[in-house]
Structure formats: structure tokens, C-alpha cells
Amino acid sequence: MEIKSTLIQKYFKELTDQQIAQFDQLYELYSFWNSQINVISRKDIDELYERHILHSLGIAKFCTFKAGERVLDVGTGGGFPGIPLAILFPETQFHLVDSIGKKIKVVTEVAAALGLKNVKASHLRAEQIADKYDFVVSRAVTRLIDFYPWVKGKFNKESKNAIPNGILYLKGGDLKEEISESKLKAELYPLSAYFEEEFFETKYVVYIPQ
């Protein structure tokens, strides 16, 4: 069974041949690495394009990263949302970090196989990072009240983007209580506005400007 990235092409019409080839490669790469090191639930691998790759690219429907911008992916796991975003924005620098070393090994191997020159992967906790970034992205790593202290103070003061620097967090479900608890000024953007698949009905990009 050959699974191709037609779902990605449905929503992103401007992809180059190279980007299409890179997205096509992801199924084989993640099937292989997932059999060695479990980074995606086994039953989810056939849903890779919808539940992991397209979900990651929901951030790109809200924010178009610019050339030279720096994006930190905290708790990247096997490379989500960082790897799909790095394919889509080859002129943007992505730093993918996770506290679990074997997951970073998968990220490193996948990025190398795809020839991604704009990805750096580090086996680190977010608190250990001293660099500054334009955006921090993440996919439901923990509650916002716990997540925010990890990345506070890691942002460049000046924004290059139409969207001011901040956090772009992928999360699902009823988020009112979590946002209220965090006391952050968060804006919710439903992914159902961009993608018609049922999976996205309760999924959001949570934007927290700095």
C-alpha cells in the first residue's frame, strides 16, 4: 500500500515538486522509525497525513513564517509540528527540542533523510535553552499554565511577521477553563475553518502574543 501526500496537496496548492516528494517520503520514514522507536501510536500510522502532518500544518494556515525567522518546537516528539512546517517553510530556521533522547534521534534521522537544512534537533528541556526565537510552536505537550513558564523570555523583541511574535499551540477540546486558569491572553482559531475532515472539528491553533 502506497500512501501519498494528496491530502496535503489538497490544502496547500503551491507546493514545489521537492516539497511534494518530501511529504510523500514521510509515511515510509515514520513507518520505519516508528517500528524501531514508538513516537506515534501504532494505530495512528495509517492516519499520519491527517492526524499528524496536516494537523501540524494548521499553524501555517494561521501564520506564514518568513525567511530568516526562527521557530522553536517544544516537546516535538517525533518531529511534530516542526518537521512538516520545516518542509513548508524552507527559508525559516526550526529548532526542535525534546527531553526524550530517542525521540530526537527520530527527528534527526527523518530530517537527514529529507535533506532538511533548516532543522536543528536537540535533546534538551525547554528551560535549558538560552536562544531567542520569533515563534514557539508545540502540540498539546501540557496545560498552558505549565507550558508558558518554560518559554517565557525566549522571544525576540522585534517582530518580522504580520503576526506579532508569540506561541502557536495546537490543542483540542474545550479550552475555556485551561485558558482562564493560565491567565494568558490567548486567541483561538478553529482548524475546522481551514480543513473539512471530521478530525479537525474540535481542534484549534491557540495564539498567545508576546
Side-chain angles (χ1 to χ4, degrees):
M1 178 176 67
E2 191 175 20
I3 296 186
K4 294 266 189 186
S5 62
T6 44
L7 182 63
I8 309 305
Q9 295 173 58
K10 171 180 166 184
Y11 291 110
F12 295 90
K13 309 282 192 200
E14 308 295 314
L15 297 176
T16 64
D17 289 347
Q18 183 184 16
Q19 286 170 319
I20 291 168
Q22 287 171 323
F23 281 124
D24 281 346
Q25 274 180 272
L26 288 177
Y27 180 77
E28 200 177 309
L29 285 168
Y30 278 108
S31 296
F32 172 77
W33 282 106
N34 213 47
S35 67
Q36 316 280 317
I37 298 166
N38 197 10
V39 290
I40 293 166
S41 81
R42 296 271 193 258
K43 66 182 190 310
D44 246 16
I45 198 77
D46 287 340
E47 307 292 341
L48 179 75
Y49 282 98
E50 181 181 288
R51 297 187 179 176
H52 298 279
I53 300 169
L54 191 60
H55 187 209
S56 297
L57 294 175
I59 286 172
K61 286 293 185 186
F62 172 68
C63 179
T64 300
F65 295 126
K66 305 293 181 206
E69 283 188 320
R70 302 184 74 222
V71 178
L72 175 67
D73 178 1
V74 172
T76 189
F80 301 102
I83 293 276
L85 290 169
I87 293 173
L88 196 64
F89 299 108
E91 302 296 313
T92 303
Q93 298 301 312
F94 290 88
H95 187 187
L96 281 55
V97 302
D98 202 283
S99 61
I100 299 170
K102 63 185 181 181
K103 292 186 175 179
I104 286 298
K105 177 178 172 53
V106 175
V107 172
T108 304
E109 295 289 347
V110 169
L114 294 171
L116 293 175
K117 303 280 190 267
N118 59 333
V119 170
K120 178 171 125 180
S122 302
H123 175 204
L124 287 171
R125 300 182 69 81
E127 305 94 309
Q128 296 171 288
I129 295 164
D131 291 348
K132 303 279 191 201
Y133 301 86
D134 299 293
F135 292 96
V136 170
V137 298
S138 194
R139 205 166 69 131
V141 172
T142 185
R143 291 177 76 84
L144 288 167
I145 194 169
D146 300 317
F147 182 81
Y148 186 72
W150 297 350
V151 299
K152 188 182 174 189
K154 296 199 191 323
F155 296 91
N156 289 321
K157 291 211 167 23
E158 292 195 13
S159 295
K160 305 181 182 82
N161 205 299
I163 293 164
N165 295 353
I167 297 168
L168 298 165
Y169 202 67
L170 290 165
K171 198 108 199 229
D174 185 351
L175 300 171
K176 288 194 195 74
E177 183 203 340
E178 183 174 337
I179 288 169
S180 167
E181 165 194 64
S182 74
K183 299 188 167 53
L184 295 167
K185 283 188 177 156
E187 299 167 19
L188 287 181
Y189 295 88
L191 291 183
S192 58
Y194 312 120
F195 307 137
E196 66 186 10
E197 286 70 22
E198 190 181 333
F199 175 75
F200 298 105
E201 282 177 11
T202 57
K203 303 288 190 290
Y204 298 90
V205 173
V206 183
Y207 169 56
I208 302 161
Q210 279 310 288

